Amino acid sequence: MKRILTAELRRVAFHRGMHLVTLVALLLYLIDTTVKVVYTLAQNHGRSMDSYHESLAFPGLVFTSLGTSYILMLVLGPAIVALVFGQDYSSDTWKMILPKVSSRYRLYLAKSLTAFAGVAFIILLGQITLGVGSAIASAKIGARFFFVPEPELLHFGMEIGIETIVFTLWYTTLSAVLVIASRSQLVGAFATLSAYFGFVFIRMYSPEYIALWFAPSHFSNLLPEFYRDGLIHGGHRLSVASSISWLITGAHLFAQILLGSAVLKKQDFD
Amino acid sequence: MNVIEIDNLTKYYSTIPAIEDVSISISKGTVFGLIGPNGSGKTTLIRLLIGLTRPSSGSSFILGKNTATEFSSLTRNVSAVVETPSFFPGLTAVQTLRTLSDYSGEKSCERRLCELLELVGLLDARNKKVERYSLGMKQRLAVAGALLSRPEVLILDEPTNGLDPTGVMELRSLLLNASSAGTTVFVSSHMLSELERTCSQVAFIVGGRVKRSGMVTDLLSTSMKMKADPAEKALSILRARFPVFAKEIRMDGDEIRIPSDFNLSPEVSDDFAANAVTVYEIVNKRLGLEEIFQECVNEV
């Protein structure tokens, strides 16, 4: 398993598609960071200190960055999954790999972990970019880089962090199933986006007992406040008992991994 | 025990048969050649052998394991190159071999990788990206990848595609060396002269069915060709005289094909004379794989 994972990680690391995804993400992060830093610095000293402590000081910047990463990930996530799983269909490299691996389940798991690592790398890139911007801003205005205004904020931020990890796992495994089932990078990636927005739609406009089963869109909580208010009507939908939501999300994850590996196991490569 | 045992293997794509009732047995250390025109089912048979696809009926075994259900336990013993090899974008030859080695769960040291690359003549191009390789170089790299795990069974689909004459010769000696070391080689190719030199056993597959198979030494027989007038009359006399060989005595164009060990006794000449058959020419001709292949195709 470890060796298969190494092989997959090596392939992704040297893939031009991954380099392009990284470049696009980096550019967007740089623009986002520049806007945030310039906005903070452009105000008078008092307001700029407040603004800095609210969204740019560590650990607050982690949550600010996650908001940007979340939106970016909706598009780049399926792209990375399509690279990891779909490339083997488009270039017919399954015929090289499958006669070598001792278990398709292990291969599927290794590919899923690689896709997750790719998405996590993009998220980390956002953290680093904003971190550097924040450090520059703190030096300019003389603010403290480490600043925790109130413990609740830290707690709330940690929740968001965990949700991000779980959502990333859920989203990449969903995308993997769709790429494997469609045997196409493009169809799989578009199907993932459609499925995601389908879930959000169902949660928004269906009774609570139905919406509950589409719990992963609960993680639309990750959207920054102003986006969330705009997108999600009826905020009460987000108050679905969180423990049940977590259970259902876990069930989704488990089912998606099982389904994806079973589809791969059964597939013929004629 | 046979290393490869194919038993009435059949594969349908919806209602169209890709291969039908194929049965082949290959013993250890044999270099086996699968010969057939394009679309005859060679690649399908190979994909079935390495578990990439499942048969509609019948079964195939490698080292006693069913390839449809137990191939995962054979990955260290069996290596294959299927059709034109496709590789992972962005990787060099060394990285590609290392990646393939990782997939098979084995650790290959730099020295082993370089040895293999030297064996297939790619050592100088080891740090070049594989996507910039020519078809012949990719083919060589695929063979190196197949040899990584020192397999007991090596399956190669059209390995001479894109190879220059030197490459073909090198591949031949590589396969013969592997065979003498005990590796069973299953190779499909269009290069009949090459297979004639390399293989000890062959099978001709046309339209998804095995038309002829056997040891190359048995198949490469010498036959006689007779020109006679009227040819049909001569054919029926020969068949009546030698009913045991009735199937082997046959028309080939306007000539009659007769097995080489055939003794045209004086009684035959008497029959010809009695029936006003004139014999113009009798020629001994050696039958190569190419002629047998042509016969198999013509039969269909």
Side-chain angles (χ1 to χ4, degrees):
Chain A
M1 172 73 184
K2 194 180 144 199
R3 303 209 74 85
I4 300 176
L5 185 61
T6 310
E8 285 297 333
L9 287 171
R10 185 183 297 116
R11 282 182 62 189
V12 169
F14 286 95
H15 198 289
R16 210 171 291 129
M18 187 65 197
H19 300 167
L20 186 69
V21 166
T22 308
L23 192 69
V24 169
L26 187 63
L27 273 174
L28 292 172
Y29 283 137
L30 280 174
I31 293 168
D32 182 61
T33 301
T34 309
V35 168
K36 283 180 175 129
V37 169
V38 168
Y39 172 76
T40 304
L41 296 181
Q43 298 170 84
N44 66 49
H45 189 259
R47 289 188 65 177
S48 110
M49 287 292 266
D50 288 346
S51 175
Y52 181 86
H53 286 146
E54 198 176 292
S55 58
L56 287 182
F58 188 86
L61 74 90
V62 173
F63 321 131
T64 311
S65 166
L66 282 178
T68 313
S69 299
Y70 173 78
I71 297 163
L72 199 60
M73 205 177 63
L74 285 180
V75 180
L76 295 187
I80 292 170
V81 174
L83 277 180
V84 175
F85 284 92
Q87 177 76 47
D88 291 320
Y89 290 102
S90 60
S91 58
D92 198 17
T93 33
W94 284 119
K95 68 185 182 192
M96 296 277 289
I97 303 168
L98 292 177
K100 291 207 175 282
V101 293
S102 56
S103 156
R104 287 194 190 186
Y105 289 124
R106 275 187 215 155
L107 177 65
Y108 185 84
L109 214 56
K111 277 185 175 290
S112 300
L113 284 174
T114 305
F116 177 70
V119 174
F121 168 72
I122 296 297
I123 293 173
L124 190 68
L125 198 65
Q127 299 281 336
I128 294 168
T129 314
L130 193 63
V132 171
S134 167
I136 293 168
S138 78
K140 284 259 185 200
I141 59 173
R144 281 165 54 207
F145 184 73
F146 296 95
F147 182 78
V148 183
E150 46 195 298
E152 287 79 18
L153 185 69
L154 193 61
H155 178 76
F156 175 66
M158 278 172 71
E159 258 181 36
I160 290 184
I162 293 166
E163 281 184 356
T164 307
I165 293 168
V166 175
F167 177 78
T168 305
L169 271 170
W170 174 81
Y171 196 53
T172 48
T173 51
L174 171 72
S175 189
V177 173
L178 295 169
V179 171
I180 289 271
S182 66
R183 295 179 176 231
S184 158
Q185 290 177 292
L186 207 61
V187 175
F190 275 107
T192 309
L193 271 175
S194 312
Y196 171 75
F197 285 112
F199 271 39
V200 172
F201 186 82
I202 291 167
R203 265 191 71 85
M204 278 164 62
Y205 298 108
S206 58
E208 190 91 16
Y209 67 92
I210 292 175
L212 190 66
W213 292 98
F214 295 86
S217 66
H218 164 71
F219 296 104
S220 49
N221 268 330
L222 289 170
L223 285 169
E225 200 79 32
F226 59 97
Y227 281 121
R228 198 193 310 169
D229 290 346
L231 276 177
I232 320 282
H233 303 294
H236 65 280
R237 299 242 184 273
L238 302 174
S239 67
V240 172
S242 75
S243 55
I244 297 175
S245 287
W246 280 102
L247 273 177
I248 289 173
T249 305
H252 272 238
L253 251 176
F254 189 64
Q256 280 164 194
I257 290 172
L258 273 187
L259 183 65
S261 54
V263 171
L264 181 64
K265 170 90 179 154
K266 290 281 171 201
Q267 261 177 0
D268 273 356
F269 295 88
D270 301 320
Chain B
M1 192 187 90
N2 288 317
V3 170
I4 301 177
E5 189 75 56
I6 302 171
D7 192 15
N8 294 318
L9 204 61
T10 299
K11 174 75 181 177
Y12 277 88
Y13 291 121
S14 65
T15 55
I16 302 157
I19 59 163
E20 263 186 309
D21 285 328
V22 171
S23 295
I24 297 168
S25 299
I26 304 164
S27 55
K28 187 176 166 67
T30 303
V31 180
F32 174 87
L34 184 66
I35 303 164
N38 290 333
S40 58
K42 297 189 298 293
T43 302
T44 302
L45 181 58
I46 286 177
R47 284 183 183 258
L48 284 163
L49 273 181
I50 56 172
L52 282 179
T53 185
R54 271 165 279 258
S56 306
S57 66
S59 48
S60 54
F61 298 87
I62 296 181
L63 300 165
K65 307 260 184 194
N66 190 319
T67 60
T69 54
E70 300 171 282
F71 192 83
S72 53
S73 59
L74 285 169
T75 49
R76 294 205 176 188
N77 312 94
V78 182
S79 273
V81 177
V82 188
E83 291 177 306
T84 312
S86 22
F87 292 99
F88 317 120
L91 299 190
T92 64
V94 173
Q95 287 169 333
T96 300
L97 288 186
R98 188 166 288 135
T99 303
L100 289 174
S101 172
D102 283 337
Y103 275 123
S104 57
E106 286 171 18
K107 193 177 181 182
S108 281
C109 61
E110 187 85 18
R111 206 175 124 210
R112 167 83 179 136
L113 301 182
C114 288
E115 266 173 24
L116 281 170
L117 288 170
E118 192 171 14
L119 188 71
V120 295
L122 288 176
L123 191 61
D124 292 339
R126 64 184 181 280
N127 292 321
K128 194 174 165 183
K129 293 221 165 131
V130 176
E131 60 219 51
R132 292 193 198 133
Y133 273 22
S134 67
L135 176 62
M137 289 167 89
K138 283 181 182 168
Q139 203 71 258
R140 286 160 186 254
L141 183 62
V143 172
L147 292 171
L148 261 171
S149 56
R150 297 184 175 90
E152 286 180 62
V153 179
L154 186 59
I155 299 173
L156 304 172
D157 188 9
E158 307 283 359
T160 47
N161 265 3
L163 289 187
D164 55 22
T166 317
V168 173
M169 282 192 284
E170 283 169 1
L171 182 72
R172 187 200 309 150
S173 78
L174 199 142
L175 295 185
L176 291 173
N177 284 343
S179 162
S180 56
T183 303
T184 307
V185 182
F186 184 112
V187 57
S188 85
S189 177
H190 287 124
M191 295 192 69
L192 300 177
S193 56
E194 202 45 48
L195 288 179
E196 204 171 309
R197 289 185 194 189
T198 320
C199 301
S200 48
Q201 188 186 342
V202 292
F204 294 86
I205 185 169
V206 182
R209 286 180 174 272
V210 172
K211 292 291 168 191
R212 216 164 292 179
S213 67
M215 302 308 287
V216 174
T217 45
D218 297 338
L219 290 168
L220 295 181
S221 57
T222 310
S223 72
M224 259 192 280
K225 279 190 171 184
M226 176 188 281
K227 274 191 178 175
D229 185 41
E232 289 77 17
K233 192 75 192 166
L235 181 72
S236 59
I237 289 169
L238 288 167
R239 281 180 172 167
R241 268 281 168 199
F242 307 100
V244 180
F245 296 104
K247 275 189 176 174
E248 291 168 64
I249 303 168
R250 57 197 166 77
M251 291 301 295
D252 183 7
D254 57 350
E255 298 172 331
I256 301 167
R257 176 78 61 83
I258 309 161
S260 61
D261 49 356
F262 208 76
N263 185 15
L264 285 175
S265 56
E267 290 83 7
V268 178
S269 305
D270 293 345
D271 284 352
F272 282 167
N275 288 282
V277 173
T278 313
V279 177
Y280 294 107
E281 194 180 46
I282 298 177
V283 184
N284 267 321
K285 194 181 176 190
R286 185 181 170 276
L287 274 184
L289 290 183
E290 211 167 296
E291 285 78 17
I292 303 171
F293 172 71
Q294 205 51 54
E295 277 177 12
C296 293
V297 172
N298 290 343
E299 278 171 26
V300 177

